[in-house]
Amino acid sequence: MSTAGFNSQNGTGTGQSYANGPSQNPVAPQQLPGVGYGMTHQPTYNPMQAKAPPPPGPPGLYPSGPYQPVTPVCSYQPGLTSYPSPSGQSLLTRPLMGGPPSHTPPQSASPSPRLPPAQATPPPPAVSTSYYTNPQQPQPMAPAWQYNTAPPPMGQPASINTPPRGPVASHVNRAASSTPPLSTAYSPAPPPPHVSHSVPQPPGPGMPRSPLHGYTQPGTAPPPMTPMVPHTYQPNRAPYGPPPTGPPPTMKPAPPPIGPPMANATPPPPMADGTVAGNGPQAPNSYNHVDNKMAGPHQPGPPGRHLGHYPSLPPGYQNTSAPAMHPAIQAATQPYTQAPQPYQQPLGGPGPAQLSPSLAAMSLQSSTPEALRVVNLLQERNLLPPIPIPAPTPCLQQDLQKINCNPEVFRSTLTSIPQTQSLLNKAKMPLGLLLHPFKDLSQLPVVTSSTIVRCRSCRTYINPFVSFLDQRRWKCNLCHRVNDVPEEFMYNPVSRSYGEPHKRPEVQNATIEFIAPSEYMLRPPQPAVYLFILDVSHNAVETGYLSVFCQSLLDNIDALPGDSRTKVGFVTFDSTIHFYNLQEGLSQPQMLIVSDIEDIFLPTPDSLLVNLNECKELVQDLLKSLPTLFEKTMETQSALGSALQAAYKLLLPTGGRMSVFQTQLPNLGVGTLQSREDPNQRANAKDVQHLSPATDFYKKLALDCSGQQVAVDLFLLSSQYCDLASLGCISRYSAGSVYYYPSYHHQHNPAQVECFQKDLKRYLTRKIGFEAVMRIRCTKGLSIHTFHGNFFVRSTDLLSLPNVNPDAGFAVQMSIEENLDDMQVVSFQAALLYTSSKGERRIRVHTLCLPVVNSLSDIFAGADVQAITGLLACMAVDRSATASMGDARDAMTNAAIDSLTSFRQSVLTIQQPGLLAPACLRLFPLFILALLKQKAFRTGTSTRLDDRLFAMCQLKYQPLVYSMLMIHPALYRVDDLTDEGALNINERTIPQPRVLQLSVEKLSREAAFLMDAGTVMYLWIGRNCHPNFLTQVLGVPSYTAVPDNLYLLPELDTAESQRTRAFIGWLRDQRPFFPSLHVIRDESQLKPTFMQNMIEDRTESALSYYEFLLHLQQQISK
């Protein structure tokens, strides 16, 4: 079946490209001389040597020419290697993608340069779109991702210059307008109510700790794991099973021996200077003094005290062997929990430094773990597991892993942390964290206490991975300082016992929430404030979105999160701005029109935001009348910029959430945009233009909003180009969200209408946190340097989040500043301080513990291929905006080349032919190819610019579990669903079909297949599909009777219909957004979009999976 020549009209990605990570103040970036942790003693790894040309195939996958290698000054970067371009193709430079450079990785062991000298070209001038240049060299910037660099200093956001005041032409008397003073915006909230210690605790004695790094001996049972806590939107979901473990293929290479054992000498004591990595110089911010208020004077830990002197855990295994199965596979059949566990930390005994040595020593004592099983990718065809891939389990001792953080909340690209930066460089894999900090949890321990126990030096919250020296002292697991245990902490509210601080809920749960005392408040907690800004131009009225919005808000107005202080307001706009007086006592809402959009003002500031409980009838009257109020309008202009300025002034005293609905390109007043898309260039194989904002108006306004605790969420409903690259800035830098509905129309696109309705209901009713900040801390020796997501970086490690919602994900890149030789484990802690919709100040804390290893084989064994793919996608989005699409694509390809080269050269001791990968990375090339073909990064295929930018936004903003479906969709056969192996959830039977490879060869004209691409689902019906499926599931007598635009499955009283609808409903329930369903036939307009997701097949502009593997092998074999 040919898939050539298909055009993409999918429109299901999300958001736009941007580079918020590397720049700490995106408006006024400043270069700090000497930034970086100068580990100049390490040899350099130069990833920028040219590789050989790709195999003969379609042009456009590697659209860049040769260039001059530049010596990098940073740690491992997936090298931006170039390949000879087609004749006449311009040569592209490779600007850096991360933060400023730091130290360099080891040189590749390749015996010959990848670029012949005759092809060398002089380096072109540095590209000005990147914020940072090399602090050491004023030469062209290193064209590769900066994995381990330090952040730049913060600048001050530029203020918005108010345009000159013109003649007053509004319908409202200007003299009557006024602005409310800040102090009278709302009354102080009452103190938070006391929440009792109601954390459930299973009875029974505590469990003694066991060694930290030992594999389970062969023949012993795997460590018991407790059931996974279901996501709020995944009730009682069954655990993922293990990947298939059948007999090895006949051509499987022999397993290589693993690296040398680590000496059992006692490591030296840690540095005790009381500092913590990642907390560099901070710009002044309003929360730093809150964070440090209880710290007291700096008191370094006891000098010279040996880490082993702190009694914490029992001694390590002495003669352990590796398991027959890797812990990640063991855990696959045993679900995970966040529930509090009985956990005994005995006093006395040796500390973590005297635990078992690294995994390398034990790897030699037994067979190769499953994660390191060598796979020849060119010979083993069916590598995709039949079930979703579980997160790998860190190789920690049993009781530590039981209480470790849920990987759906906190996940590392490497579950085994290298001891040194040079070791990390040699592995050539990125080190980073992926977070879902405000995720809906079905079980969340909440603690109310007048004293929140924190380290007096680094301000880490007490957590399950600290060490108790005795009942009165505990040792911080991040900076190693010894702290006193407060008297109040001696009492355990769960068991109602005294003198057992190690049994407190804070030390039993890796995720916990505190109700904060008054020390954590700069002002009374703000009320929930919701302001809706609605486009009412002719184009907006034509789409019909206004009636859907008004009806949805009417249906859910009582479910808006909040309390008795909740406020709402409405602003509509076309060429003028319309405010609505909803003051109590009016018989009906009063519309006030301001036509002076060049100098916007608030006509009656005190009555535009009103208490919802007091004025609910007026609000409901307005929502009922709005759709008809503008139904005959012929106004085509859109003054979005002025409407946003008015809304900002309205929310200035209190903060809150601004929800903006826009249907066209702003074309009047401030923030005016011009169309920048050339439809003829949509399929340009060389590069993609206009991925960066056309103006900084929306970014500046977003930063002003962020400073006043205002977040902006953008709903874009348009069939025409709207410049999402520019408009998206208003949400990106204010910690908002972007929703995009291309070709929205209430009659012509009913599937989009359903999607909009479901998304809007979730948006209006989901949990929300106001005036939030998030700080990520890590063990001394590690450093965080680049953030990804929607936020503003207020200081080096403090993210400003005016609003935080349970659907937002974040990612960070990390480096190793100091050697971790004296540590067996490291920890990471994310603390989110926010105000709940009920007016409570709360702190949600997540702590993750990971082992430290000293061999490359152990690093590879702990690689999390999905987390690595998610982090690389975030980095590629930034690179596309700051450099070029070609650079980003090359960097992703080279990430796969470099990691597999490192495995082949440094881990394998018996060299064999073929493209060899460890089992844990067997899907890495497939995921990289999927990224190259993803809507955000594909070339050679017609892709609307807004669709591409929305896909980029989704990759940066979505939590990993959702973004992976957008990268590599799941394909199922659904015409033969059975109850065999099905799940039983809430008295519903959920079939569990196998996940199939994304190739046309898996399709059959006699069957029906469901493709789950995250934000959209496709039900493909084969031409010769069995009539039983057509009648029992679709309710049609024949294939030709299947409607063209079918998006709803009929509710038929048949077993086949119930199974199919139950399976699709189960998939939808696992995510917070609503994926639309499209039933397609061979003749359907959406069939090309469906076929473009067949990642393993060749198209006229991209290689097939097998061709891509051949290309990787060619580069690795050089």
Side-chain angles (χ1 to χ4, degrees):
M1 183 179 299
S2 172
T3 60
F6 293 136
N7 295 327
S8 169
Q9 297 297 331
N10 188 357
T12 56
T14 41
Q16 59 190 17
S17 94
Y18 54 95
N20 193 9
S23 113
Q24 304 306 320
N25 186 330
V27 173
Q30 300 175 1
Q31 177 72 34
L32 178 64
V35 166
Y37 308 105
M39 298 180 67
T40 56
H41 61 281
Q42 300 177 7
T44 60
Y45 153 65
N46 188 348
M48 292 163 287
Q49 296 170 319
K51 294 182 171 71
L61 187 59
Y62 310 103
S64 57
Y67 57 90
Q68 178 72 28
V70 181
T71 303
V73 289
C74 66
S75 54
Y76 165 58
Q77 311 150 346
L80 276 171
T81 320
S82 71
Y83 313 99
S85 57
S87 59
Q89 184 169 320
S90 61
L91 305 182
L92 300 177
T93 61
R94 303 280 192 271
L96 51 83
M97 183 167 186
S102 173
H103 41 276
T104 56
Q107 178 75 22
S108 170
S110 176
S112 60
R114 296 176 179 175
L115 179 67
Q119 297 181 9
T121 56
V127 179
S128 60
T129 54
S130 183
Y131 285 130
Y132 307 110
T133 58
N134 188 329
Q136 309 295 335
Q137 312 169 6
Q139 299 162 357
M141 293 175 288
W145 289 339
Q146 314 292 327
Y147 274 165
N148 311 295
T149 54
M154 299 295 298
Q156 294 300 321
S159 61
I160 300 176
N161 295 324
T162 305
R165 179 170 298 175
V168 178
S170 65
H171 299 246
V172 180
N173 186 350
R174 185 180 185 85
S177 68
S178 62
T179 304
L182 293 177
S183 60
T184 60
Y186 57 89
S187 58
H194 179 82
V195 177
S196 63
H197 307 271
S198 58
V199 185
Q201 184 82 3
M207 189 178 298
R209 290 202 172 199
S210 57
L212 191 60
H213 278 305
Y215 281 123
T216 310
Q217 297 201 23
T220 60
M225 305 294 288
T226 45
M228 178 183 293
V229 172
H231 185 287
T232 300
Y233 303 95
Q234 301 172 313
N236 301 324
R237 180 178 180 178
Y240 293 141
T245 55
T250 56
M251 310 254 333
K252 177 188 156 190
I258 309 303
M262 180 184 180
N264 284 327
T266 303
M271 296 178 63
D273 57 3
T275 61
V276 60
N279 294 347
Q282 299 180 2
N285 68 80
S286 58
Y287 284 92
N288 278 344
H289 81 276
V290 172
D291 205 36
N292 299 322
K293 185 167 186 176
M294 298 160 60
H298 175 74
Q299 299 178 13
R305 182 186 289 271
H306 193 282
L307 184 61
H309 291 176
Y310 299 115
S312 167
L313 306 173
Y317 291 128
Q318 291 306 315
N319 291 305
T320 49
S321 303
M325 191 161 51
H326 189 259
I329 308 301
Q330 295 174 355
T333 57
Q334 299 163 8
Y336 186 90
T337 186
Q338 276 293 122
Q341 298 294 323
Y343 164 60
Q344 176 76 33
Q345 194 171 48
L347 305 177
Q354 291 178 321
L355 294 175
S356 58
S358 96
L359 303 179
M362 293 177 224
S363 298
L364 284 179
Q365 300 173 17
S366 66
S367 60
T368 303
E370 167 62 23
L372 289 179
R373 177 176 60 86
V374 180
V375 177
N376 188 338
L377 299 179
L378 291 172
Q379 292 180 353
E380 297 195 27
R381 178 73 174 90
N382 299 311
L383 293 175
L384 195 66
I387 55 175
I389 308 167
T393 304
C395 193
L396 294 169
Q397 64 186 76
Q398 178 179 328
D399 57 339
L400 276 184
Q401 186 50 45
K402 277 185 180 180
I403 55 177
N404 214 353
C405 198
N406 188 333
E408 292 186 3
V409 173
F410 214 158
R411 194 161 169 176
S412 174
T413 58
L414 303 177
T415 58
S416 296
I417 304 299
Q419 278 188 350
T420 64
Q421 180 64 47
S422 61
L423 194 60
L424 175 60
N425 295 340
K426 197 172 181 180
K428 297 183 175 64
M429 288 187 291
L431 176 59
L433 302 171
L434 290 93
L435 293 86
H436 191 177
F438 207 51
K439 173 180 167 60
D440 286 314
L441 299 172
S442 61
Q443 193 166 3
L444 176 66
V446 179
V447 173
T448 302
S449 177
S450 60
T451 302
I452 296 178
V453 180
R454 302 175 67 180
C455 176
R456 293 180 62 84
S457 177
C458 68
R459 309 302 293 138
T460 295
Y461 294 82
I462 196 167
N463 60 79
F465 310 107
V466 304
S467 304
F468 282 91
L469 312 187
D470 50 44
Q471 289 185 343
R472 296 291 179 176
R473 292 182 303 160
W474 65 278
K475 177 172 166 267
C476 177
N477 54 322
L478 267 63
C479 73
H480 315 304
R481 176 194 171 123
V482 177
N483 297 269
D484 293 332
V485 176
E487 183 65 31
E488 182 182 349
F489 202 75
M490 299 294 292
Y491 175 73
N492 186 351
V494 178
S495 62
R496 299 186 178 180
S497 60
Y498 185 84
E500 295 179 321
H502 55 278
K503 292 185 178 180
R504 289 266 306 191
E506 297 93 321
V507 193
Q508 296 293 316
N509 297 276
T511 291
I512 195 164
E513 186 153 287
F514 300 95
I515 295 182
S518 58
E519 291 94 329
Y520 291 83
M521 303 177 193
L522 292 174
R523 61 176 185 176
Q526 74 173 62
V529 181
Y530 306 110
L531 180 60
F532 300 95
I533 295 80
L534 306 170
D535 181 359
V536 293
S537 64
H538 176 73
N539 189 66
V541 172
E542 280 296 302
T543 66
Y545 92 90
L546 198 56
S547 59
V548 176
F549 163 77
C550 291
Q551 187 59 50
S552 182
L553 186 53
L554 280 169
D555 293 341
N556 297 286
I557 195 165
D558 292 328
L560 285 177
D563 55 14
S564 59
R565 303 179 302 152
T566 301
K567 293 185 175 183
V568 296
F570 299 86
V571 174
T572 58
F573 68 95
D574 40 36
S575 62
T576 58
I577 313 300
H578 323 127
F579 299 91
Y580 296 89
N581 185 348
L582 301 169
Q583 193 169 17
E584 189 178 13
L586 293 176
S587 59
Q588 62 182 17
Q590 179 183 13
M591 184 168 74
L592 308 171
I593 302 174
V594 176
S595 56
D596 184 9
I597 61 172
E598 295 300 326
D599 188 14
I600 199 70
F601 67 96
L602 303 179
T604 56
D606 296 332
S607 60
L608 303 180
L609 273 179
V610 297
N611 185 287
L612 177 60
N613 291 335
E614 296 173 358
C615 306
K616 184 177 293 186
E617 290 186 1
L618 281 175
V619 171
Q620 291 172 330
D621 289 344
L622 175 63
L623 291 174
K624 292 174 183 177
S625 61
L626 267 181
T628 58
L629 197 58
F630 297 96
E631 62 182 357
K632 298 188 181 302
T633 182
M634 298 305 294
E635 185 61 68
T636 59
Q637 293 181 305
S638 172
L640 173 64
S642 301
L644 291 173
Q645 288 180 334
Y648 168 69
K649 291 185 177 183
L650 203 50
L651 291 175
L652 189 63
T654 60
R657 184 177 76 185
M658 192 189 304
S659 306
V660 181
F661 296 80
Q662 174 73 359
T663 66
Q664 61 177 313
L665 205 63
N667 55 16
L668 187 65
V670 293
T672 296
L673 297 172
Q674 305 294 328
S675 177
R676 298 189 290 165
E677 183 181 41
D678 182 359
N680 297 324
Q681 296 297 316
R682 287 177 180 171
N684 189 343
K686 292 184 179 180
D687 210 353
V688 180
Q689 304 297 322
H690 308 306
L691 296 177
S692 299
T695 173
D696 63 356
F697 169 80
Y698 296 98
K699 179 191 289 187
K700 288 181 177 179
L701 184 57
L703 296 179
D704 288 341
C705 288
S706 178
Q708 300 300 323
Q709 304 299 343
V710 175
V712 185
D713 296 323
L714 176 64
F715 289 79
L716 199 56
L717 309 99
S718 175
S719 58
Q720 300 175 352
Y721 173 71
C722 283
D723 198 351
L724 195 50
S726 301
L727 292 183
C729 292
I730 192 69
S731 298
R732 182 181 320 144
Y733 298 106
S734 67
S737 308
V738 176
Y739 296 82
Y740 178 52
Y741 305 92
S743 304
Y744 182 91
H745 194 277
H746 67 112
Q747 291 179 340
H748 302 154
N749 200 338
Q752 287 277 32
V753 175
E754 183 194 27
C755 189
F756 178 53
Q757 288 174 324
K758 303 281 185 168
D759 287 348
L760 199 54
K761 179 178 180 179
R762 163 72 177 167
Y763 173 77
L764 294 172
T765 59
R766 71 185 179 188
K767 182 178 55 182
I768 184 172
F770 296 98
E771 50 185 350
V773 289
M774 183 169 70
R775 175 168 271 134
I776 303 172
R777 297 176 171 89
C778 50
T779 293
K780 177 177 165 52
L782 297 169
S783 175
I784 295 171
H785 61 81
T786 303
F787 296 86
H788 300 278
N790 288 2
F791 50 77
F792 175 62
V793 183
R794 189 176 292 178
S795 66
T796 54
D797 64 345
L798 188 72
L799 304 186
S800 174
L801 304 170
N803 288 178
V804 61
N805 70 75
D807 305 333
F810 303 88
V812 297
Q813 293 170 238
M814 302 181 59
S815 60
I816 303 173
E817 278 188 340
E818 302 172 11
N819 291 352
L820 308 174
D821 297 334
D822 53 353
M823 302 180 195
Q824 293 295 321
V825 294
V826 290
S827 297
F828 310 89
Q829 188 175 86
L832 178 69
L833 175 65
Y834 71 97
T835 298
S836 74
S837 58
K838 304 295 185 184
E840 289 180 329
R841 200 72 174 141
R842 291 187 169 219
I843 309 165
R844 185 171 296 190
V845 179
H846 308 284
T847 311
L848 174 68
C849 181
L850 296 175
V852 176
V853 298
N854 73 338
S855 76
L856 274 175
S857 58
D858 293 333
I859 298 174
F860 276 97
D864 185 338
V865 66
Q866 293 185 99
I868 292 173
T869 304
L871 183 61
L872 289 177
C874 292
M875 298 167 65
V877 170
D878 284 352
R879 172 60 70 86
S880 299
T882 58
S884 71
M885 180 71 69
D887 285 4
R889 290 170 56 84
D890 285 352
M892 288 187 288
T893 303
N894 293 333
I897 293 172
D898 292 340
S899 60
L900 295 184
T901 300
S902 174
F903 175 76
R904 186 184 188 99
Q905 295 177 350
S906 304
V907 178
L908 292 181
T909 56
I910 302 176
Q911 296 299 322
Q912 300 173 3
L915 183 58
L916 307 181
C920 59
L921 290 181
R922 68 191 185 280
L923 298 178
F924 192 31
L926 177 62
F927 289 162
I928 292 297
L929 180 63
L931 276 175
L932 294 173
K933 295 186 177 184
Q934 215 267 349
K935 190 176 299 186
F937 304 112
R938 69 189 181 194
T939 57
T941 302
S942 182
T943 305
R944 293 172 53 180
L945 191 54
D946 281 343
D947 291 353
R948 184 185 300 277
L949 286 160
F950 185 51
M952 289 182 169
C953 180
Q954 286 289 74
L955 290 177
K956 290 270 284 189
Y957 175 78
Q958 287 283 2
L960 179 65
V961 64
Y962 310 134
S963 63
M964 280 307 299
L965 276 176
M966 301 173 195
I967 295 170
H968 187 277
L971 181 67
Y972 308 92
R973 180 171 178 171
V974 293
D975 64 303
D976 57 355
L977 295 178
T978 67
D979 291 342
E980 183 180 352
L983 305 177
N984 290 308
I985 301 177
N986 297 333
E987 299 182 355
R988 284 196 312 164
T989 300
I990 313 295
Q992 296 294 289
R994 288 176 55 92
V995 178
L996 304 176
Q997 292 170 265
L998 293 172
S999 175
V1000 173
E1001 72 180 49
K1002 295 298 181 183
L1003 299 181
S1004 168
R1005 292 184 180 274
E1006 288 74 34
F1009 296 84
L1010 179 72
M1011 178 183 287
D1012 180 5
T1015 56
V1016 63
M1017 294 180 181
Y1018 303 100
L1019 180 56
W1020 184 81
I1021 309 298
R1023 181 178 296 275
N1024 301 325
C1025 184
H1026 197 283
N1028 185 60
F1029 180 82
L1030 298 175
T1031 56
Q1032 304 296 322
V1033 176
L1034 301 181
V1036 295
S1038 65
Y1039 173 82
T1040 56
V1042 176
D1044 286 338
N1045 296 318
L1046 183 62
Y1047 67 96
L1048 288 175
L1049 294 183
E1051 296 187 13
L1052 305 178
D1053 190 17
T1054 64
E1056 292 83 355
S1057 174
Q1058 291 173 357
R1059 287 194 193 104
T1060 306
R1061 287 184 291 107
F1063 179 60
I1064 294 176
W1066 176 73
L1067 292 175
R1068 282 174 164 168
D1069 289 344
Q1070 295 175 45
R1071 63 206 72 175
F1073 48 86
F1074 183 82
S1076 57
L1077 174 69
H1078 300 278
V1079 179
I1080 57 177
R1081 303 180 299 165
D1082 277 348
E1083 301 82 7
S1084 299
Q1085 292 181 350
L1086 286 175
K1087 184 191 174 185
T1089 305
F1090 174 81
M1091 290 300 176
Q1092 282 173 355
N1093 285 325
M1094 292 297 178
I1095 291 163
E1096 299 194 20
D1097 296 333
R1098 179 176 182 173
T1099 67
E1100 61 184 19
S1101 60
L1103 301 179
S1104 70
Y1105 176 54
Y1106 187 76
E1107 290 171 329
F1108 186 65
L1109 293 178
L1110 290 175
H1111 172 66
L1112 296 184
Q1113 183 189 33
Q1114 180 185 12
Q1115 300 303 312
I1116 292 171
S1117 300
K1118 289 186 178 181

